[in-house]
Structures are given as C-alpha cells and as structure tokens.
Amino acid sequence: MKNIILIGYMGCGKTTVGKNLARICHYTFLDTDEWIEQQQGRSISEIFATDGEEAFREMETQCIQTLIDSRLERHVISTGGGMPVREVNRQLLKRLGKVIYLSVRPETVYERIKGDTKRPLLQCEDPLSKIRDMIAMRAPAYRDGADYTLRVDTLKQSTIALKIKRLVMRPTHKKWTNKKNQEKKGKGNKNETSGN
C-alpha cells in the first residue's frame, strides 16, 4: 500500500480520522492544505482573498503532482474539500494511493463547523444552504474519484479509522471480488459502506 487518501466535504472528519488512521497503520499524516500553506507562507483564507479560488485549485494540483514526483509512500493524506472536483486531481490522487470518500450529511457538517471563520467558502448569510448546494454539486466528483465510500455521520472518528484500515489492508483476493461484484451491479457506488 503506497498511501491512503481521504476526500470529502469540509467538516467530514478528514483531519481527525487521518491522524487516527496514520497512528494505527504506522503511517505519516499529511494535510494538503497545511502543505500548501507552508509552501506559500500564508493561510488558505489569505490565498483565496488575494489570488482567488482558481489559483488555489491550481496550487492543489501542483501539490499532488509534487507528492507523486517525490515517490511518497506510507502516508495518510487529508485533502482539501474541493480538491477532487478537478478531474485531473482525481486522476492524480488515484496514482498516489487508495482514495476513501468520507460521505456526510449537510446538517452534520453545519453542526461541526458553524462559527468557524477559517472556512472562506462559508462566509455567507446562509451557510447551511451553501453547504447543501456544494455537497450536491461535489458528490458526483467525490464518488468518481473514490475507491471506497464510507458514510460517517453516526460513527466515532476512531471507528472510522479502523473501518478504513480494514477496507484498504484486506487481502488482495477480496478486492478482486468487490470489483467483480461492482461490475455486475453496473454504475453503483463503488464499494460503499454504511455507517449504520
């Protein structure tokens, strides 16, 4: 296993789950937003304010390409919420490792991050509506870019980490079985696991 990559909307738990997962897998944790901030010498909010969202999305693509070029291995990587929206990013993330989509309801996100002023895309009058709209828009890209989808609304962070470890580190023949089952079902969600 090269790397484990967590994707999903902001507030789905990528950072907390990622740190738990890195600990139990004996991997190193890496947050792409933090990586970009270190490279740029400024916060994500500052990048959005001065350069705009499109410039930041380009920085995300450069980040993934740099990690691939460095032959990064044995890392758990937490990505920015919008990173998989770009098709090129989805392709690059697949080259970097196994991609896990942490699926979450808008209401869960809102309860977790309301009042957080560090989220530039949610500085608006009705953040819950914005969250609903953005998740609906991004969900197809998340599903397309993921090897596995895990519903996380009702799960503890430590439980999610253990579930992901079992998903990505199980014997190879089971992965082939899942692939065959998926082909039989057609265009269903890839290896979706419920948190219920």
Side-chain angles (χ1 to χ4, degrees):
M1 174 61 59
K2 291 195 297 185
N3 303 289
I4 304 170
I5 300 146
L6 305 181
I7 65 171
Y9 192 72
M10 65 180 85
C12 69
K14 295 185 297 287
T15 299
T16 308
V17 170
K19 288 178 178 178
N20 268 295
L21 183 60
R23 178 179 52 80
I24 64 176
C25 293
H26 306 290
Y27 277 25
T28 301
F29 177 76
L30 186 150
D31 183 297
T32 59
D33 281 352
E34 290 180 0
W35 188 94
I36 292 170
E37 286 179 336
Q38 290 172 0
Q39 295 294 311
Q40 294 292 316
R42 50 194 171 137
S43 70
I44 302 299
S45 296
E46 289 171 328
I47 295 170
F48 265 76
T50 57
D51 297 1
E53 182 177 356
E54 187 57 32
F56 175 70
R57 299 305 174 198
E58 183 59 35
M59 292 175 192
E60 289 184 315
T61 301
Q62 293 171 0
C63 169
I64 313 169
Q65 188 62 62
T66 300
L67 297 179
I68 291 172
D69 292 344
S70 68
R71 300 183 183 278
L72 192 76
E73 291 188 353
R74 298 183 64 82
H75 277 67
V76 174
I77 302 168
S78 170
T79 62
M83 183 180 280
V85 174
R86 274 189 169 191
E87 184 178 357
V88 63
N89 289 352
R90 298 197 294 274
Q91 295 170 355
L92 290 171
L93 288 172
K94 286 284 187 74
R95 288 174 54 192
L96 194 56
K98 283 292 180 185
V99 183
I100 314 296
Y101 167 33
L102 303 185
S103 175
V104 67
R105 295 170 61 246
E107 293 77 13
T108 302
V109 172
Y110 179 72
E111 286 303 316
R112 290 178 180 177
I113 67 176
K114 62 183 179 182
D116 186 344
T117 58
K118 295 181 180 180
R119 312 277 184 171
L121 291 177
L122 295 183
Q123 303 313 304
C124 59
E125 289 186 3
D126 189 356
L128 179 55
S129 291
K130 183 75 175 287
I131 292 167
R132 286 193 181 111
D133 291 344
M134 291 180 71
I135 288 179
M137 181 185 69
R138 291 178 175 182
Y142 290 148
R143 290 192 292 267
D144 179 64
D147 294 298
Y148 298 99
T149 293
L150 183 61
R151 296 183 181 276
V152 299
D153 292 277
T154 61
L155 300 179
K156 293 181 179 179
Q157 309 290 1
S158 56
T159 303
I160 299 168
L162 287 170
K163 280 180 172 285
I164 294 170
K165 182 181 179 182
R166 288 197 294 267
L167 277 174
V168 300
M169 295 189 172
R170 59 188 169 188
T172 305
H173 71 275
K174 290 188 178 180
K175 292 179 185 175
W176 281 108
T177 301
N178 279 339
K179 188 174 181 181
K180 288 176 182 175
N181 290 339
Q182 181 189 328
E183 289 171 353
K184 289 178 183 177
K185 292 178 183 176
K187 293 186 177 179
N189 285 352
K190 284 176 276 187
N191 299 312
E192 183 167 329
T193 303
S194 172
N196 297 328

